[in-house]
Amino acid sequence: MSSAPAPAPGPTTYRERLVPGPAGVGAVILFAIMSGLVVLVSNTVAAIVTTVAVLVVGLVLVAVTSPVVEVRGRELHAGRAHIPIDLLGEVEVLDADGVRRALGPGYDPRSFACLRTWTKGAVTARVLDPADPTPSWLVSTRRPAAVRAAIEAARGA
């Protein structure tokens, strides 16, 4: 029994890492400084080393744990999840108020959501696969119109 090779993933037409904005990075810096101040009572060199170490580890953790939103080939990727674009309905661009409404009283908890509070925009699309228990996707992005354009371009390819 042989299996056919997996198809090539195709070109990436949109890619964005949802890293925190200045306030999130500022919180990491403040935490590193506070950690250094705690150690300062025992040793100045240890305080400097602690501050730098906590800052580096914190910034690396922020970068590594920030999800990537991308349109690659004919799939939408949001963090570790992905879905073929052919299984998505019309993509709707949402601003901050639209995201709030989408998460309001009519929100279906079975929906897939890749949300970050520091990104004000998002895109949403209904899942067309009747076998999929997930009714829709809601994905944060700083450039929702660009994500929709990339999905539509991939759909037409």
Side-chain angles (χ1 to χ4, degrees):
M1 178 182 274
S2 67
S3 62
T12 299
T13 56
Y14 182 86
R15 180 177 170 84
E16 171 185 16
R17 183 172 291 277
L18 299 177
V19 294
V25 173
V28 171
I29 293 169
L30 182 61
F31 182 74
I33 291 170
M34 298 303 289
S35 299
L37 287 175
V38 168
V39 179
L40 184 60
V41 296
S42 65
N43 186 317
T44 304
V45 173
I48 293 170
V49 169
T50 298
T51 301
V52 171
V54 170
L55 180 61
V56 169
V57 169
L59 292 176
V60 167
L61 282 174
V62 163
V64 169
T65 60
S66 296
V68 172
V69 173
E70 69 180 337
V71 178
R72 182 175 51 205
R74 297 186 57 81
E75 287 189 329
L76 170 62
H77 294 254
R80 295 183 195 169
H82 58 94
I83 186 168
I85 287 171
D86 296 337
L87 297 180
L88 291 175
E90 183 179 339
V91 178
E92 183 182 350
V93 171
L94 303 174
D95 59 6
D97 288 333
V99 173
R100 235 183 328 277
R101 281 191 304 276
L103 292 171
Y107 178 72
D108 188 335
R110 298 175 301 149
S111 295
F112 171 76
C114 178
L115 295 173
R116 296 299 179 264
T117 58
W118 51 84
T119 56
K120 301 302 179 200
V123 293
T124 187
R126 204 168 45 88
V127 174
L128 301 177
D129 183 2
D132 191 337
T134 306
S136 65
W137 273 44
L138 178 61
V139 179
S140 286
T141 175
R142 289 185 172 92
R143 298 176 48 216
V147 172
R148 179 175 62 189
I151 290 171
E152 295 306 323
R155 199 185 310 259

